[in-house]
Every structure is written in C-alpha cells, then in structure tokens.
Amino acid sequence: MDTKMFAKSLISVIMLTGALTLAQRVDVTPQQVIARVGEPASILCRAGRQIQYCRIVIPGEKVLNLAPNWTQRPGFPYNGEGLQAGQCGVTIERVKTTNHGPVECFLGVEGDEISGVADLVVALEPQRPQLEILTQGRNGAFEVDTEFQAKCISHDGRPPANLTWFLDDENIFDGLTMPEVVESHDRNNATLYTVVQGIQRFIRVSDDRRNLICRANHFSYPQGYLDSRIQLLVRYRPQPLPLVKLYGLILGSTGLVNVTIRANPRPLTEWHVAGNTIQQGSRNGRYEAYEPQDLGRGEFNVALSIAGLTLEDTTKEYLLRASNEFGTTDYQVRISSSEAAPAAGLGVGPIIGIVIAVLVILIIIGLIVVARATGRWCFSAAGLGVGPIIGIVIAVLVILIIIGLIVVARATGRWCFSDNSGARPSETEHEPEARASLLSRIKPSSLVAKVMPGRSTISSDSSTVNEGISTPPPNTLSPRMVNPSIGYPATPSPAVSTPVSGHFPDHFQPQFINRESKSTDIF
C-alpha cells in the first residue's frame, strides 16, 4: 500500500511540475532576427493568458515598459494584439549596431513573472573575400597531375559568410575542407566572424585558363555575394586524339589537311609522309607544312598542304608529330577521295533496296524448290537434278553479292560512281577535339580566300571556283565555328586575304567574347 501511495504522489508531482513549466513558458517569435543597420526588426512574446505588465530589454537601449495604448520611447512601438490576448512585443524601427545580442521579454501573469528571449543579429558586411594560392607553380603555371592547394578567407562578417567554390561556372564540391569560423571583437566590442576554407585537388588539362572562384555569400552584400578569382595556367604535353579521318578530297587538286591540337607551351610540329619529314614552316616537294596557329586557350591549328593530289596520296599514312618540353605526341591522319559514308550506315534508301532484292531472290529460290518437288515447269520431265539447282542457287548468290557491292559503291562514291566533275565538301570523322578540314580543287599559286557573312567562297585571281566546296585558308579555321558537314567556319568572320605559303599571318587572331560578371576581381 505504501508503494502505491508513493507512486501516486510521484505522478502528481511530475504533473504539477509540467503544468507549472508550461505555465511559465513564453513563446517568442521569431527565435532569431537578422537585420541590417537602419532596417526595422520585430519581436513578439506570447504567454497564452492575460498579461498584467510587459517589460522588454534590448541591448544598447533602456528597459522598455510597453502597452498597446502607451509608448515609453519613440522608435520602439508596441507590437501585438493586446495584453488581454496574452501578447506583448516590440518593433525596432531602425536597428543599430549596438542592438546586437539577446532581446528579453518579462511578462507579469497571474502574480508571477515569466520570461523569454530572442536573438537579434545585426548583420555586418564582411570584407572582400581573399583567395590565396598555397601551391607555388613554375613561372606562374602549374603542371598536370600535380597537387594544388588554395584557401579563401572572409574577414569580419556577422553572421559568418557562406563560402562556395567554382571553376568558371562549374560548382566544386570535392576536395573542400570544413569551414573554420574564428570569433573576434572590434573596438566597440562587437562580435565579428572570420571564415576560412581550403581546397585541395590535382591539376587537370581541362583546368587550363579557367577561373578558380571563391564566392562569399552574405545577407548584407547588395547582390548577395562577392567573388574572388584567379586564372589557372596549366602546362602540359600535346594531348592525344583518336584517328583523324578526312573525306571528300578531289584528285588532281591542292588539298589542305588541318588538325587542331591542345598543348601548352606552344608545340613544335612536323609531318611524316611516306618516309619524308616536313618541318613546320618548310616545304618538301609537293608537301608544305605551316607554322602552328595559336587559337588561344591552349589550342593550335596545324596544317599541311598537298599539291597535285594523286590516288597514291590517298593511300599513304600521314603522321603529325607535336612536341614541347613536357613530351611528344603522334597523331594519325588518313585522307580519302570519297565522301564519308553516313555514320548510321548506308542510309534508308540503299537498305530498302537490299532488303527488296533479298526478298525477290528468296521468292525465286522458293519457287524453284517447289517446282522441283512437284515436277512443274521445266522440272516436269526428268527434272534438272541436284547439280543444276545448286548452280542456280550459286548464280543467285553471286548476283546478290554484285547488287550489294553496287549499292555500297553508289553510297560511298567509289569506282565508277565517283563524281570528279564537281568538288564536294570535305568531311571529317573524329572526336570533338579533333578538327580537320581539306581544301581541294584550288591551284596553289595566287590562292586567295574571302570569308563573307553566312558563307565561305574560294577564289583565285582569274576566276571563282564554287562547285560545292567552300573551304577557307588555314588562318580562318577555328574550332569554335564548326560546320557539322565539313568542320570549318560557317559563321561570319573578318575578311582575310592571304597567300597560302610558309606560315599563317600574324595579324589574324581569333575573336573571343567576354561574358559579363557581377563579381569583384581582386587579382
């Protein structure tokens, strides 16, 4: 019995304590207020019962006694639906730096005083973020696969700034350290926060000439953030490419083989053709190698011209060798005098023709077999026997093979189906990084290119050659302006007139468009 009485007493004490705790609770909304200097801020305290009096303490201000019909001090009016409704709050019409800290409210309820607290954060704009490089490169550049370290610092903000990282427009999440927040105080004893975050990653070729950006996001910035950035310069060997295939070269013409490679620093190039070596800027017989043209961002156009192209030239293997202080890379190039077969096959028309031919031949074979079994038509007497039937089947298969070869030759422009009466656009087959073009049906002497808006036309001093091919000289070839069918610019370019000999003109430079940025550069 004593145990039961003790348990009941304990339950009663717990319930009474909970009731008293609930009765003493003050609901303060919001729990945290963030405001800039000069902006308003409101706080509301709720008791759930009628309030006899209300007292609010704000850092840096005198104690306020508030009621709906009475304002103790201008600039701090009452906020709420009335004391009888159990509500008492205050609106700070113009927040000051000294108001930062806890705002407390004390409410008189049924002879007791209960209290609540809210956190008022007066936002202070951090200093401009600073981006520091911890890894020292060589001559201001970094090598591929080396470790790179940097850190970003946002000084003296309140609340702490939120740091994010970008590589140009690409958000970086990997390799970031946990942000470190350091608390300090200024001369007025105001609490300030400094945030430090580091990044650690390995340098890649794709990082070259891209901007590493540290962005400090903060409530008090007019645009919500400020950036600090540096441009990464990466040094690397010429980057490999898959096999480069060029189509559409016309026999008897002058062809220009043009390949775009990536390297930093500038590479030295040479072509190897059938045992012959053609150094950049030199001529060897019918072959002439041009100086690499700098397109910017580590890209270079390398070109070789072939005068009086022969069928034998299309069977040779062309090797482009590029080297710099970080290594040497070979590029395999093949050329063809026929148009490239469509990537998806022969196309719908040839395939339908082959299917129909196969069906017809199968029907003929079926009819022959049925006639042989039933003794009809030419099999009505003694029959042809097994030998003739085998001969017929073999003949049919030979016919089928011939039809297939004709269809393939027609689709690829081989043999008697090759059209040498008019030039065709050259085509390339390679990865996006491999860009090449072929110039044909142009005499090597007095060659002039005129690039007009919306089209490209090859012309000489005496007449204009415009028979289905429009390929500019190497100084107008840019990987940023690609015609899907032939791989050279189709968008407007500056008018250029230059002979094809020796090297590309120094005055030609590719055009780049700088995108606008709202960020602040400090380097």
Side-chain angles (χ1 to χ4, degrees):
M1 181 64 67
D2 294 339
T3 304
K4 292 183 178 180
M5 291 296 295
F6 176 75
K8 290 181 179 180
S9 301
L10 181 60
I11 292 173
S12 300
V13 171
I14 293 174
M15 294 178 62
L16 179 60
T17 303
L20 291 174
T21 302
L22 182 62
Q24 299 298 319
R25 180 176 180 270
V26 175
D27 181 24
V28 182
T29 56
Q31 287 291 316
Q32 185 183 67
V33 182
I34 301 177
R36 301 184 185 93
V37 175
E39 293 183 342
S42 296
I43 295 173
L44 179 63
C45 301
R46 295 186 179 93
R49 292 168 293 166
Q50 183 176 352
I51 300 172
Q52 280 75 46
Y53 64 86
C54 172
R55 187 173 73 254
I56 294 181
V57 179
I58 302 174
E61 306 292 342
K62 294 181 179 180
V63 177
L64 302 176
N65 293 295
L66 298 177
N69 54 357
W70 176 58
T71 300
Q72 182 181 7
R73 290 185 55 195
F76 299 89
Y78 170 86
N79 176 36
E81 298 180 1
L83 300 182
Q84 292 183 349
Q87 297 184 7
C88 180
V90 64
T91 296
I92 306 174
E93 293 182 344
R94 295 181 60 86
V95 172
K96 296 182 293 186
T97 303
T98 55
N99 297 149
H100 176 78
V103 177
E104 298 177 285
C105 58
F106 300 91
L107 308 179
V109 178
E110 297 179 354
D112 293 326
E113 185 175 82
I114 57 179
S115 63
V117 62
D119 187 21
L120 174 58
V121 178
V122 181
L124 296 179
E125 181 177 317
Q127 298 178 19
R128 183 178 300 170
Q130 296 179 357
L131 183 56
E132 298 180 8
I133 304 301
L134 305 179
T135 303
Q136 297 299 323
R138 187 173 65 176
N139 297 326
F142 305 95
E143 297 183 16
V144 173
D145 296 331
T146 58
E147 189 178 55
F148 171 83
Q149 293 183 350
K151 69 177 180 179
C152 184
I153 307 174
S154 174
H155 289 280
D156 300 337
R158 193 173 63 198
N162 179 33
L163 301 181
T164 52
W165 294 79
F166 296 88
L167 198 58
D168 284 343
D169 297 331
E170 179 185 350
N171 207 313
I172 301 176
F173 300 101
D174 298 330
L176 302 181
T177 63
M178 290 296 295
E180 179 184 357
V181 180
V182 180
E183 182 177 316
S184 61
H185 297 82
D186 62 9
R187 293 177 299 178
N188 298 322
N189 202 33
T191 304
L192 303 174
Y193 301 95
T194 296
V195 184
V196 182
Q197 187 176 36
I199 183 172
Q200 179 177 340
R201 65 198 308 267
F202 287 93
I203 293 294
R204 309 168 188 169
V205 173
S206 58
D207 296 337
D208 187 33
R209 293 173 173 82
R210 300 181 71 183
N211 291 309
L212 178 66
I213 302 172
C214 171
R215 175 168 296 174
N217 304 275
H218 198 270
F219 176 76
S220 60
Y221 286 142
Q223 296 178 347
Y225 67 89
L226 279 180
D227 287 351
S228 176
R229 66 179 64 199
I230 61 169
Q231 187 181 56
L232 299 178
L233 299 179
V234 182
R235 299 162 65 88
Y236 50 91
R237 61 181 294 176
Q239 295 300 291
L241 294 175
L243 175 65
V244 179
K245 299 179 181 179
L246 304 175
Y247 300 92
L249 182 62
I250 306 303
L251 300 179
S253 67
T254 296
L256 181 68
V257 180
N258 178 45
V259 181
T260 299
I261 63 176
R262 294 196 65 183
N264 190 21
R266 183 187 186 92
L268 296 175
T269 60
E270 61 184 24
W271 291 85
H272 295 263
V273 185
N276 297 320
T277 300
I278 308 98
Q279 301 286 344
Q280 65 181 44
S282 66
R283 184 192 298 269
N284 187 340
R286 296 183 298 113
Y287 303 103
E288 183 175 3
Y290 297 96
E291 297 280 352
Q293 180 194 11
D294 191 351
L295 300 177
R297 299 186 67 88
E299 293 185 336
F300 297 87
N301 265 343
V302 185
L304 173 73
S305 67
I306 309 172
L309 192 78
T310 64
L311 182 61
E312 182 182 1
D313 291 329
T314 63
T315 63
K316 297 177 181 178
E317 291 188 358
Y318 295 82
L319 184 143
L320 169 62
R321 178 164 294 165
S323 60
N324 59 18
E325 59 185 279
F326 293 97
T328 300
T329 303
D330 290 344
Y331 304 90
Q332 298 290 336
V333 181
R334 294 179 183 175
I335 63 176
S336 175
S337 60
S338 63
E339 294 182 357
L346 298 177
V348 178
I351 292 177
I352 293 176
I354 293 175
V355 171
I356 293 176
V358 171
L359 291 177
V360 170
I361 293 173
L362 291 177
I363 292 174
I364 293 174
I365 294 175
L367 291 176
I368 293 174
V369 172
V370 172
R372 178 68 180 84
T374 59
R376 297 187 178 186
W377 304 327
C378 60
F379 303 99
S380 58
L384 295 178
V386 178
I389 292 178
I390 294 176
I392 293 174
V393 172
I394 293 176
V396 170
L397 291 177
V398 171
I399 295 173
L400 179 61
I401 293 173
I402 293 174
I403 293 175
L405 291 175
I406 293 174
V407 171
V408 172
R410 178 67 181 86
T412 60
R414 297 176 182 271
W415 307 324
C416 58
F417 295 99
S418 61
D419 181 13
N420 292 334
S421 61
R424 296 183 298 270
S426 60
E427 301 183 18
T428 61
E429 179 181 321
H430 45 69
E431 295 295 327
E433 295 86 352
R435 305 172 183 92
S437 63
L438 189 60
L439 181 65
S440 54
R441 293 191 64 82
I442 307 300
K443 295 182 179 180
S445 61
S446 64
L447 177 64
V448 176
K450 299 178 181 179
V451 184
M452 303 300 292
R455 64 174 184 173
S456 298
T457 303
I458 304 299
S459 64
S460 63
D461 290 343
S462 58
S463 62
T464 299
V465 180
N466 189 5
E467 302 178 7
I469 180 168
S470 53
T471 309
N475 61 312
T476 62
L477 297 173
S478 170
R480 292 167 183 78
M481 300 179 292
V482 178
N483 185 316
S485 63
I486 55 181
Y488 57 74
T491 53
S493 304
V496 179
S497 176
T498 178
V500 177
S501 62
H503 61 277
F504 300 114
D506 296 332
H507 67 269
F508 179 83
Q509 294 294 335
Q511 301 297 319
F512 299 95
I513 299 175
N514 295 326
R515 289 177 289 182
E516 295 183 358
S517 174
K518 297 181 179 179
S519 60
T520 302
D521 297 337
I522 66 172
F523 289 91

